[in-house]
Amino acid sequence: MTAPIDLSGKRWIPIGYGNASSKAFSGYFDGNNQVITGLYVDERGNNVCAGLFGVVVAVSDETVLKNFCIENATIYAGNSTDASASPDIYGAGGLIGDASRAHVSDCSADVTVTGRCISGGFIGNVFQGSYKNCTAKGSVSGGWSTGGFAGCVFESDASVEIEHCASYGNVEANDWNTGGFVGYLEKGKIR
């Protein structure tokens, strides 16, 4: 990015649209310490991940996303707006809905996130990767696996590392696995 971006009054379609890695963003994004304001994402009923980035899959160990802030954003996600429907497994996050092997540094999100499950102020669903010097502010609400920074963090044979990250704000959930920082942590290192 070379200048701040104001997205107020527009509906944003997430970069890496969908819920599968075949449609993921797999590039490199350096925000150059710029700010994105007014982000509005409403993917309720569309069965996709929601955030500035919907799905991110890293193809190397290099940093994928770095050096930018999201302020005054609103994110909605979920299979359905009907609370009695079966919950979906797709993530909602202020910066990223779902990430596999992503490496993110020096970013922040000041957002309101509302998801049906796997919702976080910064990222919804984390599979492997690293997050350094990142901050989530604002409020998060959802069902199971809802956290101030991340909704769900898990790994398989590689690790998840979260270092020098923080979560500030209100977290509300109407189901199990809720936390001020992470809703559900299967494995990983948080420092």
Side-chain angles (χ1 to χ4, degrees):
M1 288 175 48
T2 58
I5 297 174
D6 184 356
L7 296 173
S8 299
K10 300 168 181 70
R11 179 173 172 219
W12 181 258
I13 303 299
I15 300 168
Y17 191 78
N19 55 30
S21 60
S22 64
K23 297 180 182 179
F25 173 80
S26 295
Y28 173 79
F29 184 87
D30 184 345
N32 196 29
N33 297 312
Q34 299 294 332
V35 177
I36 299 169
T37 57
L39 174 68
Y40 177 77
V41 179
D42 189 349
E43 292 298 334
R44 291 176 286 191
N46 292 333
N47 301 328
V48 298
C49 297
L52 176 68
F53 292 85
V55 180
V56 174
V57 176
V59 294
S60 74
D61 290 336
E62 306 254 337
T63 298
V64 176
L65 308 174
K66 68 179 187 177
N67 300 327
F68 65 98
C69 297
I70 296 174
E71 294 180 351
N72 302 319
T74 303
I75 314 291
Y76 294 105
N79 246 1
S80 169
T81 56
D82 178 3
S84 65
S86 298
D88 57 272
I89 60 168
Y90 310 117
L95 190 80
I96 306 168
D98 181 280
S100 294
R101 300 173 187 87
H103 301 284
V104 181
S105 67
D106 302 298
C107 294
S108 67
D110 185 353
V111 301
T112 299
V113 176
T114 303
R116 287 192 29 86
C117 63
I118 309 180
S119 302
F122 192 82
I123 183 167
N125 194 35
V126 176
F127 178 74
Q128 302 177 355
S130 66
Y131 299 81
K132 296 179 182 178
N133 305 318
C134 296
T135 304
K137 297 179 182 177
S139 64
V140 183
S141 62
W144 56 273
S145 296
T146 297
F149 185 81
C152 182
V153 176
F154 66 100
E155 62 177 278
S156 60
D157 57 347
S159 66
V160 173
E161 292 189 15
I162 301 174
E163 292 184 58
H164 302 278
C165 295
S167 169
Y168 306 93
N170 191 43
V171 178
E172 295 181 14
N174 58 18
D175 213 331
W176 49 277
N177 294 338
T178 303
F181 190 73
V182 174
Y184 175 75
L185 174 66
E186 182 176 296
K187 293 182 181 178
K189 297 175 185 173
I190 298 176
R191 297 185 195 108

